[in-house]
Amino acid sequence: GKVFRDYDAKRKGLNGFAYERWVSYENFHRAMLAHTIATSKQRAKKKKIEHNITLEQLIKIFPNDSLCPVLGFKMIWGGDVDTSPSLDRKNNKIGYTMKNVVFISRRANTIKSNSSKEEIIKLYKWLKKNE
């Protein structure tokens, strides 16, 4: 099947509307991973941290079932922001290296990025106690 990619603003039909671009899911997935590489390189440069991952490496580490390894739901490119795949640095003191990156959902990454491990453990204990 094909998925909607975007509108081609350079090509307009007789009615003045832009043509739609539809691509295979595989090509869309590859394009999203290439975008992930580009944005992570920008973040690495800004933070002055290492970045040595490639598109082929990201393809290999993306979960085959597309499930978020933290929260368990299907990650969908271009869907709800929370369910979108996000490239996470396991240790934020280290750069983008194969041993330090994993795909998790944007929601899981947000929870992780805003909290320390200790805070998450305290929250978990509080939630269990107050069920």
Side-chain angles (χ1 to χ4, degrees), residues 12-49:
K12 303 239 188 230
L14 294 175
N15 58 8
F17 291 101
Y19 283 94
E20 295 177 345
R21 276 189 249 189
W22 291 79
V23 296
S24 69
Y25 178 77
E26 292 77 21
N27 286 343
F28 182 69
H29 181 67
R30 192 173 182 82
M32 294 297 96
L33 291 172
H35 178 72
T36 299
I37 287 281
T39 57
S40 62
K41 277 184 181 177
Q42 289 172 349
R43 283 193 301 276
K45 186 176 181 181
K46 185 177 177 180
K47 294 175 185 271
K48 296 180 171 74
I49 57 176

Side-chain angles (χ1 to χ4, degrees), residues 91-109:
N91 180 341
N92 287 332
K93 295 176 184 169
I94 301 172
Y96 293 88
T97 65
M98 279 306 291
K99 290 183 178 182
N100 193 43
V101 295
V102 64
F103 276 100
I104 61 177
S105 67
R106 182 77 166 268
R107 177 71 182 134
N109 207 348

Side-chain angles (χ1 to χ4, degrees), residues 7-131:
Y7 291 102
D8 185 349
K10 294 178 185 171
R11 294 182 56 221
K12 303 239 188 230
L14 294 175
N15 58 8
F17 291 101
Y19 283 94
E20 295 177 345
R21 276 189 249 189
W22 291 79
V23 296
S24 69
Y25 178 77
E26 292 77 21
N27 286 343
F28 182 69
H29 181 67
R30 192 173 182 82
M32 294 297 96
L33 291 172
H35 178 72
T36 299
I37 287 281
T39 57
S40 62
K41 277 184 181 177
Q42 289 172 349
R43 283 193 301 276
K45 186 176 181 181
K46 185 177 177 180
K47 294 175 185 271
K48 296 180 171 74
I49 57 176
E50 183 178 11
H51 188 292
N52 63 13
I53 52 176
T54 66
L55 177 59
E56 273 33 9
Q57 289 171 321
L58 287 190
I59 290 169
K60 286 180 184 175
I61 68 165
F62 194 87
N64 290 334
D65 56 8
S66 296
L67 294 180
C68 171
V70 178
L71 301 175
F73 55 74
K74 188 168 185 159
M75 298 184 291
I76 302 168
W77 294 111
D80 179 359
V81 173
D82 283 345
T83 64
S84 294
S86 177
L87 187 62
D88 177 52
R89 286 181 294 136
K90 298 175 203 174
N91 180 341
N92 287 332
K93 295 176 184 169
I94 301 172
Y96 293 88
T97 65
M98 279 306 291
K99 290 183 178 182
N100 193 43
V101 295
V102 64
F103 276 100
I104 61 177
S105 67
R106 182 77 166 268
R107 177 71 182 134
N109 207 348
T110 300
I111 292 167
K112 181 181 172 270
S113 69
N114 290 338
S115 309
S116 69
K117 185 166 49 171
E118 292 77 20
E119 289 171 327
I120 291 173
I121 290 168
K122 285 179 183 179
L123 178 60
Y124 171 77
K125 287 178 180 178
W126 181 85
L127 288 170
K128 285 300 280 177
K129 188 171 120 181
N130 292 287
E131 287 187 287

